[in-house]
Amino acid sequence: MFANLAKLFRYRGLITSLVARDLKARYRGSVLGFFWSFINPLLLLLIYSFVFTTIMPNKIAGVQPYTLFMFCGILPWTWFSSALLEASGSLIAGGNLIKKVLFPAEVLPIVSVLANMVNFFLGLPILILFLVLYQHLPNPWNLLWFPVVVVVQLVFTLALALTVAALSVHFRDVRDILSNLLTLWFFATPIIYPWFQPEVQRFKTFFDVNPFTHIVVSYQEVLFFNNGPVGHWKWLLSLGAGSVLLFLGGFWLFDRLRDSFAEAV
Amino acid sequence: MNAIELSHVSKIYRRYGGRQFSTLKSALFQRSLLRDLQPSETFPALTDVSFRVPTGATFGVIGRNGSGKSTALKLVAGITKPTSGTVAVQGRISALIELGAGFHPEISGRENVFINGIMLGLSKREIQNRFDEIVEFAELRDFIDAPVKTYSSGMYMRLGFAVAIHVDPDVLLVDEVLAVGDEGFTHKCLDKFAELKRSNKTILLVTHSLNLVERFCDEAVWLDGGANQAEGDPKRVVDAYLTKVEEGEDALMAVTTARAVEGAHAPAAADGPAPADPTSDMVHATEGRWGSREIEITDVAFVDGSGQTSFVFHSGEPMAIRMKVHATRPIADFVFGFGLFNADGVCCYGTNTYLEQMTPQAIEGDAEATFQIERLDLVEGTYKVDVAVHKIDGYPYDYHRLLYTFRVKSRTHDVGLYRPQHTWRFSPGVRFK
């Protein structure tokens, strides 16, 4: 297993070119091409601001402007959920490679995660643009934590992506279960409501065991709450350590099932 | 030194009962997870196969569909692992198993060459250096910047082939991919193989083209039913394989014939109206049987030179058609007829005892009539036979139309119907190797 893990480093050229291919192919043939990577989050942001400021005004104290608050959570969540959904189908979609070419299968779910990470990065300028427009600039010292949050989320997502990819080869219904589970998970995470709301605090244990709570809260502290230091870092670092273990577990499972892929895909 | 070495390799594919394993629901709710994890059915694709390919050799693998050839190749490529036994390969492998696997339809041929090359283990720089050569080889200079989805299947395959062959492998695995292009491209591929061969690369060739194996390979192995049947000199292996194929065809043809005869014996067919004049429709006829059965043909057999009944004959060998008949009463007016048709239903030959000026005198009880052919000078193909007993005026006693099938095999791929016994003669100015 560790030999295969070390090989992963050798595949970096393959992984980068596949990520680039994925991103290129995604918008090939559309008129606006690569701009969709900016337009998609922009439109999403506009829709949310219209709904939550005009139709259903949100007055919760401490999270104004609400649209920006929500957006800080939705962007990383989009990365997480679409990466997992893509990863769960990646081995089946790449069946030709696994069956007919000597191809390191783990590359496929990893590419799904990384391609969506690049999309997440492309959404950030839109977020920054609106932070500037609303005159709601984050604390520059807090921003130092941003790469840490991204890395923790990356490792956590990779761990789950490898697991669902390997399982969905044998159980095709993983994909459907996953898409429903992700909806539930979205609402169970303090993305569209702040974690310090009294109603949330009543179920604190429940929210604490949800790993994505800590990722989202960290993002919100780094990007949105500019009036204090990042108080969530202990949780974040523990989650980072846990994610590394989770990743090793996911890779182990993937490695165990690897030989069955060529036959079961 | 052996580039490839398989020792006692077995591969068992698992089949999970009714694909129930594919849904989590059944696994969880019927508490059958553990049971489903146990393969309910196994299929041995390879059983105790061993062979070694010396470095620099070209090695052919032949066998019927489903004989385990491709599984063997996948094991050598490392795509699947053997259930037991060991597979050892020395050097960089390039597998021409599925050409253009991993091409993305939306992006250009150029980008696909790079990504495909990286997948096959090249570095970006190596691809850069070989890029022009690859495009030249694939004959796609004008289209290399177009998305691959606009390529014809031939272009797609050519590009895939070009990338795979330029990986500069030590061991090249080829699975029946030479049929990808037109004549010109196939020749180019063969030239490329010859070039690799000269530079001491090992080639493992899985193919149905026995010709190619004989011409091109240093050694060959014949797999059947997942087991090693013969190994060594390609000519000998191919011959062994062909003999086995003939036996198989023989059995198949026996079944076909038995079925046709049985069908025709059914009352409906037997009492069916006879064509007004069977001979008028000699060229395009359908199988059947009719007649009064006053003289009945009870059995028809094809007999080869050694007196054995068979359904497969070689061009130029003797052959006899032997029919057993039974006359229910003494009859003085009878004619034995014989007709030979090819698979298209074209009459190759037809005759009867009346045409050959034999005047009937008497037949009674059980008898035998044999039509002896000294040399079966037919080209390769499947042939059908008419046999009949009728009156001189055409009134049928028993007419068997196209019920009997046999096959002619030939190592010469000549065309037509009839192969006259022949030789070529040349003046001294013409020389052959």
Side-chain angles (χ1 to χ4, degrees):
Chain A
M1 172 189 161
F2 287 100
N4 280 328
L5 207 55
K7 265 193 210 152
L8 216 49
F9 184 70
R10 283 224 325 264
Y11 298 137
R12 63 192 185 282
L14 177 60
I15 293 175
T16 11
S17 49
L18 284 176
V19 169
R21 181 188 81 171
D22 251 35
L23 293 170
K24 266 182 206 161
R26 184 164 299 184
Y27 298 116
R28 189 56 59 97
S30 58
V31 180
L32 293 173
F34 219 56
F35 279 101
W36 278 111
S37 295
F38 302 107
I39 297 169
N40 281 334
L42 180 65
L43 290 178
L44 191 67
L45 187 62
L46 290 177
I47 293 166
Y48 279 133
S49 20
F50 178 72
V51 172
F52 289 108
T53 55
T54 314
I55 309 266
M56 217 173 78
N58 185 303
K59 299 281 188 235
I60 301 175
V63 292
Q64 300 305 333
Y66 177 71
T67 323
L68 273 184
F69 164 77
M70 193 176 59
F71 207 60
C72 291
I74 281 185
L75 268 187
W77 175 263
T78 309
W79 166 22
F80 177 71
S81 64
S82 38
L84 284 193
L85 280 177
E86 257 174 56
S88 69
S90 64
L91 291 184
I92 295 157
N96 232 351
L97 287 174
I98 295 170
K99 272 189 292 191
K100 309 283 185 175
V101 191
L102 185 54
F103 186 86
E106 63 270 34
V107 164
L108 293 172
I110 291 175
V111 165
S112 307
V113 174
L114 292 181
N116 280 294
M117 182 175 80
V118 174
N119 257 333
F120 165 68
F121 288 152
L122 291 173
L124 287 178
I126 304 296
L127 178 65
I128 292 167
L129 180 75
F130 275 76
L131 286 172
V132 172
L133 279 182
Y134 277 97
Q135 302 272 312
H136 192 91
L137 294 178
N139 183 335
W141 290 109
N142 285 357
L143 277 182
L144 290 177
W145 279 99
F146 183 74
V148 182
V149 194
V150 170
V151 169
V152 171
Q153 188 187 349
L154 176 63
V155 177
F156 180 69
T157 313
L158 282 175
L160 293 192
L162 285 169
T163 313
V164 294
L167 287 180
S168 64
V169 170
H170 287 291
F171 304 99
R172 297 292 158 106
D173 28 19
V174 164
R175 212 185 142 77
D176 295 291
I177 294 175
L178 188 67
S179 62
N180 289 300
L181 198 66
L182 282 171
T183 311
L184 179 69
W185 200 343
F186 175 77
F187 287 106
T189 308
I191 295 171
I192 53 173
Y193 46 85
W195 80 93
F196 50 73
Q197 235 181 316
E199 291 87 345
V200 174
Q201 287 301 315
R202 267 174 52 203
F203 301 101
K204 189 167 185 311
T205 340
F206 170 78
F207 282 94
D208 280 346
V209 294
N210 173 3
F212 216 82
T213 300
H214 309 300
I215 291 174
V216 163
V217 170
S218 303
Y219 276 116
Q220 288 163 349
E221 284 197 327
V222 169
L223 296 170
F224 187 79
F225 297 108
N226 48 7
N227 48 4
V230 175
H232 215 73
W233 62 273
K234 276 184 196 149
W235 277 107
L236 183 67
L237 292 186
S238 337
L239 178 64
S243 298
V244 171
L245 291 181
L246 204 59
F247 176 79
L248 290 177
F251 198 84
W252 174 82
L253 179 76
F254 195 92
D255 214 41
R256 275 294 301 274
L257 292 173
R258 176 193 305 275
D259 290 342
S260 64
F261 293 159
E263 288 158 37
V265 156
Chain B
M1 249 281 275
N2 291 320
I4 304 170
E5 196 168 342
L6 271 75
S7 48
H8 306 289
V9 168
S10 296
K11 176 73 190 175
I12 295 170
Y13 282 117
R14 289 160 296 176
R15 282 191 291 206
Y16 299 100
R19 296 277 325 146
Q20 287 185 345
F21 192 52
S22 64
T23 67
L24 196 57
K25 184 188 119 249
S26 64
L28 291 177
F29 295 128
Q30 295 167 12
R31 295 214 188 85
S32 61
L33 184 62
L34 286 175
R35 203 188 61 216
D36 277 357
L37 279 168
Q38 300 296 321
S40 60
E41 232 181 308
T42 57
F43 173 76
L46 288 178
T47 319
D48 196 26
V49 170
S50 303
F51 62 81
R52 48 188 62 180
V53 183
T55 305
T58 302
F59 195 87
V61 182
I62 57 174
R64 292 183 302 160
N65 287 333
S67 58
K69 302 186 300 291
S70 296
T71 303
L73 204 68
K74 280 185 186 174
L75 288 172
V76 174
I79 296 169
T80 50
K81 300 267 181 299
T83 312
S84 67
T86 55
V87 179
V89 183
Q90 308 287 333
R92 170 141 73 176
I93 306 177
S94 180
L96 296 181
I97 293 181
E98 172 116 340
L99 295 173
F103 277 0
H104 195 295
E106 292 287 344
I107 64 177
S108 71
R110 181 185 299 275
E111 289 161 304
N112 269 310
V113 166
F114 275 90
I115 291 176
N116 211 238
I118 291 172
M119 281 181 194
L120 296 175
L122 290 178
S123 70
K124 237 181 178 131
R125 181 182 299 275
E126 283 173 307
I127 303 166
Q128 192 72 58
N129 292 339
R130 291 166 208 193
F131 187 78
D132 288 337
E133 219 180 310
I134 291 172
V135 177
E136 200 59 49
F137 191 88
E139 303 165 17
L140 286 173
R141 183 150 296 284
D142 298 336
F143 304 99
I144 196 65
D145 286 312
V148 164
K149 67 175 175 189
T150 62
Y151 286 17
S152 73
S153 53
M155 290 157 80
Y156 191 92
M157 295 292 178
R158 287 206 308 263
L159 192 61
F161 188 93
V163 178
I165 202 109
H166 284 87
V167 166
D168 191 22
D170 302 308
V171 177
L172 183 68
L173 311 176
V174 187
D175 189 1
E176 203 65 84
V177 288
L178 282 174
V180 298
D182 49 22
E183 279 294 294
F185 189 74
T186 307
H187 273 125
K188 214 152 114 183
C189 296
L190 288 175
D191 285 349
K192 189 77 194 176
F193 284 158
E195 190 189 313
L196 288 170
K197 205 174 157 177
R198 274 197 303 278
S199 51
N200 207 31
K201 308 290 187 191
T202 312
I203 302 175
L204 188 69
L205 186 68
V206 168
T207 182
H208 288 290
S209 166
L210 303 174
N211 215 341
L212 196 67
V213 171
E214 284 187 342
R215 246 180 42 219
F216 204 70
C217 292
D218 305 310
E219 269 183 73
V221 64
W222 161 36
L223 296 179
D224 195 44
N228 191 329
Q229 301 290 331
E231 189 188 340
D233 175 54
K235 197 131 193 114
R236 208 173 46 77
V237 173
V238 168
D239 277 341
Y241 171 60
L242 282 177
T243 311
K244 173 72 187 224
V245 168
E246 276 170 22
E247 281 169 20
E249 278 180 358
D250 206 274
L252 185 72
M253 213 127 336
V255 171
T256 323
T257 302
R259 216 173 273 156
V261 174
E262 206 161 284
H265 277 279
D271 298 341
D277 178 10
T279 44
S280 72
D281 196 23
M282 211 58 168
V283 179
H284 289 293
T286 50
E287 55 194 57
R289 183 182 183 187
W290 59 86
S292 66
R293 307 275 174 95
E294 284 155 279
I295 302 173
E296 190 176 354
I297 301 172
T298 52
D299 181 56
V300 176
F302 302 114
V303 183
D304 65 14
S306 58
Q308 299 292 313
T309 61
S310 174
F311 291 93
V312 179
F313 297 86
H314 289 264
S315 189
E317 285 181 354
M319 174 195 183
I321 294 97
R322 187 185 63 203
M323 45 184 142
K324 289 187 176 149
V325 295
H326 176 79
T328 48
R329 57 183 174 81
I331 291 174
D333 179 359
F334 60 89
V335 174
F336 285 102
F338 167 77
L340 177 66
F341 298 79
N342 75 358
D344 302 331
V346 176
C347 177
C348 307
Y349 185 68
T351 188
N352 64 34
T353 50
Y354 180 70
L355 292 172
E356 297 190 25
Q357 334 246 302
M358 287 181 251
T359 315
Q361 195 173 14
I363 183 168
E364 192 182 352
D366 289 319
E368 242 181 60
T370 302
F371 184 80
Q372 179 71 44
I373 300 169
E374 301 307 330
R375 285 181 55 94
L376 193 62
D377 286 322
L378 294 169
V379 300
E380 177 158 330
T382 304
Y383 294 86
K384 291 193 173 210
V385 161
D386 274 11
V387 289
V389 195
H390 53 84
K391 281 190 182 173
I392 293 172
D393 65 9
Y395 169 83
Y397 293 124
D398 198 359
Y399 208 111
H400 293 204
R401 159 129 302 180
L402 302 177
L403 293 185
Y404 307 97
T405 310
F406 68 96
R407 189 159 173 81
V408 176
K409 305 283 287 181
S410 166
R411 293 298 288 271
T412 321
H413 296 286
D414 45 6
V415 295
L417 295 174
Y418 166 59
R419 172 189 293 155
Q421 209 186 335
H422 62 276
T423 50
W424 290 85
R425 263 197 303 279
F426 302 99
S427 67
V430 186
R431 268 192 295 271
F432 291 91
K433 264 203 271 191

